Amino acid sequence: MDLSTPAGLETLARDVAELLGAHRTEQDGAPDRVRIIFADGRTLELVPNRPRTRITITAVLPAEAAAQDLAIEPITVTALPRPRPSETQDKATARHTADHIRRRLLPQQTAVASRLSATVERARTALSALPDRPEQRWAVSDLPVPHPLGLDRWCHIAWWHTPAGESRAVASFLADLLRRAGLATTEPHGSAHVFFADPPAQQPDARFHVAPASRRDGWDLVDQFTGAVVRTYDDAQWAQRIAESASSEDEAARRAGTPSADLPGLSDDLIEVEQVRALAVELAMAGHMPYGLVDVDYTQTPGFFIYPGPQPSMVRVARLLEPWGAIRPGARFEAPKHEVERYDTELEAYARLLNGPGQTVAVQLDGIQVTFSDPSPGP
């Protein structure tokens, strides 16, 4: 590969762009500069160094980056790396250059783009409503997601961070806050990450579609709004039925203008009551699992569930373990003694968490009753 000619540099740029999954390349108005441009607008500039045996790669940042003192140092790599067996020098140069870009430049460039993103700023503002706890708080970042066509896509994610790792219990409430800020969200099956993005200007015919799995055999159910894979299925027809059902439910929720058509841990008639959502968040942040997550085994992990109490100013908090014949309201004494003791211990832990200003807590045989003083929690 002769980097002393515009054609040689452009050929290298095209090869590197293909390896990185970039959208296109273009001349930068000078014969010794070529740009690699990704579909999301990220741009890299390649310039050969004299005597054309090294290449300098610069991450081109938007003008707003300078205003916030954000910068990325260019990197320089050799144009003559040692080829691997059965590899030409041209392919070795492209592979070596792409590896350095992927490892040294792209993570920094993505972090800067995230800092400048209006979408991320909206998410940060929405999540700032959550209380911080010692060694626990929300976090926002970007994650490379394999695309069905084999290209990587960087997606925004949020999660609740604890010393034990990412919390699945809090994820649904993070997603609810983000949706109330006008963002689209995805909670992949079994993950504590919440993917988020701005809804598209034009609604597609179907939000969810099925594509060949990117990481194993099977079929991915992909959210076109956020780029996240919801779940992978072995059967294509079954995956297609799930995609059609999920798209239909999303369309119904959009027409109804409902941020959360359902929310784990809450009965449907309490979802829009801010005080009650705050109770659920307190329990989830303490590590208690909201009941109703499809990826949690409630035969092993008890879930909490909040439902209306006998008066408008009251709600009840139940601690549930499947099957329903195990400890549940009205049947707690049918369980083994050690489970009854565990049940009592966890109810007391719920009560300590929920006892605070503006509300009183009473522990009863079948759960906890929370009474709000003012205002009424009724929807």
Side-chain angles (χ1 to χ4, degrees):
M1 183 177 294
D2 185 2
L3 297 182
S4 64
T5 66
L9 182 61
E10 194 168 358
T11 298
L12 171 64
R14 283 199 303 268
D15 291 346
V16 172
E18 182 177 357
L19 291 171
L20 296 175
H23 182 57
R24 60 188 173 88
T25 63
E26 66 176 29
Q27 289 289 142
D28 189 29
D32 61 346
R33 295 174 184 270
V34 177
R35 288 192 168 190
I36 296 174
I37 301 174
F38 292 80
D40 59 8
R42 287 174 298 155
T43 301
L44 303 169
E45 186 176 79
L46 275 63
V47 178
N49 284 354
R50 299 184 184 281
R52 311 284 174 165
T53 59
R54 298 179 69 79
I55 308 161
T56 297
I57 306 107
T58 303
V60 181
L61 301 180
E64 311 92 85
Q68 297 190 31
D69 295 326
L70 299 174
I72 300 174
E73 289 293 325
I75 64 172
T76 299
V77 301
T78 179
L80 298 172
R82 178 178 297 177
R84 294 172 178 172
S86 303
E87 186 181 51
T88 66
Q89 183 63 63
D90 289 358
K91 287 190 176 297
T93 302
R95 183 256 310 159
H96 180 78
T97 304
D99 286 348
H100 276 269
I101 291 173
R102 190 181 290 112
R103 188 175 69 252
R104 298 166 60 189
L105 276 186
L106 291 186
Q108 295 186 73
Q109 193 175 28
T110 301
V112 169
S114 182
R115 287 279 300 274
L116 299 174
S117 167
T119 303
V120 171
E121 186 58 32
R122 286 171 63 193
R124 291 180 180 277
T125 300
L127 298 180
S128 64
L130 289 170
D132 284 348
R133 291 289 183 269
E135 300 184 321
Q136 297 188 46
R137 73 179 315 273
W138 55 267
V140 171
S141 184
D142 294 276
L143 190 70
V145 175
H147 189 277
L149 297 179
L151 312 179
D152 281 352
R153 171 177 174 178
W154 287 85
C155 299
H156 302 311
I157 59 169
W159 71 93
W160 185 258
H161 178 74
T162 75
E166 299 153 353
S167 170
R168 180 69 182 99
V170 185
S172 295
F173 303 105
L174 298 183
D176 175 72
L177 284 171
L178 294 171
R179 288 192 295 271
R180 292 176 189 279
L183 299 169
T185 68
T186 310
E187 298 173 62
H189 183 86
S191 172
H193 289 161
V194 177
F195 288 71
F196 65 91
D198 280 307
Q202 283 190 321
Q203 295 288 328
D205 293 338
R207 174 171 175 175
F208 297 91
H209 71 274
V210 175
S214 55
R215 290 182 173 172
R216 66 178 180 85
D217 293 338
W219 301 88
D220 285 341
L221 176 62
V222 181
D223 183 348
Q224 297 190 83
F225 288 9
T226 65
V229 173
V230 182
R231 192 171 186 177
T232 302
Y233 296 90
D234 294 329
D235 184 85
Q237 292 184 344
W238 178 253
Q240 186 58 45
R241 286 197 291 269
I242 297 295
E244 292 170 359
S245 175
S247 294
S248 177
E249 291 176 6
D250 176 73
E251 176 65 16
R254 187 178 66 84
R255 291 182 182 277
T258 305
S260 299
D262 57 71
L263 200 57
L266 293 176
S267 64
D268 292 346
D269 46 359
L270 294 177
I271 290 174
E272 292 306 310
V273 183
E274 186 174 354
Q275 286 176 302
V276 181
R277 291 200 307 273
L279 295 183
V281 169
E282 286 285 348
L283 290 167
M285 288 193 301
H288 301 297
M289 196 65 67
Y291 186 81
L293 295 169
V294 297
D295 51 348
V296 172
D297 181 4
Y298 290 100
T299 64
Q300 303 296 323
T301 303
F304 68 84
F305 187 71
I306 305 176
Y307 59 100
Q311 299 179 20
S313 61
M314 296 178 178
V315 294
R316 306 296 295 275
V317 183
R319 181 267 200 192
L320 302 176
L321 187 68
E322 291 180 342
W324 283 87
I327 301 168
R328 65 176 175 85
R332 62 190 292 273
F333 294 115
E334 298 175 10
K337 180 180 178 181
H338 70 278
E339 284 291 352
V340 174
E341 292 174 350
R342 180 185 176 192
Y343 176 82
D344 290 337
T345 299
E346 290 181 356
L347 277 191
E348 291 170 1
Y350 288 6
R352 286 193 298 271
L353 281 170
L354 302 182
N355 191 19
Q359 57 202 42
T360 57
V361 175
V363 179
Q364 301 175 343
L365 287 179
D366 59 353
I368 295 172
Q369 182 168 285
V370 180
T371 304
F372 296 96
S373 56
D374 185 54
S376 168

